[in-house]
Amino acid sequence: VLNNVPESVLDRGVMEEAFSERFKRMFEEIRQNEFCESEVKVVCDGKTQWFRLVMKNLFDEKHQIVNTVGIVEDISERKQEELQLKERAERDGLTGFYNAVTMKIKVDRLLKSPWTVEGNHIFMLMDLDCFKQINDTFGHQYGDQVLKEVSATLKKTFRQSDLLCRMGGDEFAIMILNASSFSAVEHVIQEL
């Protein structure tokens, strides 16, 4: 039995901000509905946990609320599996970069978002010259190694906040976010 809920839970400061709002809304929702449920993410002592919360009102014969009961289920393992599946679906298996579909979605969201920071964004498409000859001469395993080395170079060259994508084959896309100007990154592009 918990008292002063949701405040006593939120005061601990372990729930991420977006989930705190969701948690508060549950307690507003249960006042008007018989049943509600949600998922929340908690970070405590550096450990992330996910919980499924279910609340149900109990009524008397006059249909007055007598009590509200809740169930808290730890769904961390299942959520971790879901996140890993999502990650695998969004990423290229060889390079770890975003795949073409995910890149398009991320760029679209970025450009349409009202929270996008004003500034210059540079979108580049790049392919490797003579890559087919590498595969044909030395085999696909050697070609895969070349792609891994190219992706490692790109990862070192660009910031963690930039979007890197393997479009397929030997084609890559890079979205440099909030570049001060093209001339500021031109030397990097020439080096590549």
Side-chain angles (χ1 to χ4, degrees), residues 5-20:
V5 178
E7 292 80 12
S8 63
V9 175
L10 294 171
D11 288 345
R12 294 185 59 209
V14 294
M15 201 172 297
E16 287 195 357
E17 188 65 33
F19 294 98
S20 294

Side-chain angles (χ1 to χ4, degrees), residues 51-149:
F51 295 97
R52 178 175 168 259
L53 309 172
V54 179
M55 290 195 294
K56 181 170 179 23
N57 285 323
L58 303 176
F59 299 92
D60 64 14
E61 58 280 345
K62 296 179 184 173
H63 203 70
Q64 300 295 316
I65 296 175
V66 210
N67 205 344
T68 302
V69 294
I71 297 172
V72 178
E73 177 186 7
D74 186 343
I75 58 167
S76 301
E77 194 173 303
R78 183 186 58 132
K79 202 67 170 174
Q80 192 63 35
E81 288 170 3
E82 284 176 16
L83 293 172
Q84 287 171 347
L85 282 173
K86 183 178 183 273
E87 180 79 9
R88 281 195 298 242
E90 291 180 341
R91 302 270 180 182
D92 171 60
L94 186 65
T95 63
F97 288 176
Y98 290 121
N99 61 34
V101 172
T102 304
M103 183 69 153
K104 181 185 181 328
I105 291 168
K106 290 199 171 286
V107 169
D108 283 348
R109 280 187 193 151
L110 176 90
L111 296 177
K112 291 176 183 173
S113 171
W115 295 285
T116 298
V117 177
E118 297 272 334
N120 299 310
H121 307 297
I122 299 171
F123 188 82
M124 298 184 338
L125 291 172
M126 167 184 138
D127 72 0
L128 305 180
D129 292 340
C130 306
F131 184 73
K132 184 177 177 346
Q133 287 177 315
I134 292 170
N135 272 340
D136 292 348
T137 306
F138 301 105
H140 288 278
Q141 286 181 327
Y142 191 81
D144 286 352
Q145 188 58 39
V146 169
L147 291 172
K148 287 178 186 178
E149 289 179 25

Side-chain angles (χ1 to χ4, degrees), residues 25-65:
R25 276 196 309 272
M26 278 188 78
F27 286 86
E28 294 165 10
E29 189 181 325
I30 198 65
R31 290 186 181 116
Q32 284 127 35
N33 299 311
E34 184 176 338
F35 170 87
C36 69
E37 69 178 301
S38 187
E39 292 180 359
V40 295
K41 182 180 179 182
V42 173
V43 180
C44 188
D45 297 328
K47 182 181 175 190
T48 301
Q49 287 182 281
W50 288 86
F51 295 97
R52 178 175 168 259
L53 309 172
V54 179
M55 290 195 294
K56 181 170 179 23
N57 285 323
L58 303 176
F59 299 92
D60 64 14
E61 58 280 345
K62 296 179 184 173
H63 203 70
Q64 300 295 316
I65 296 175

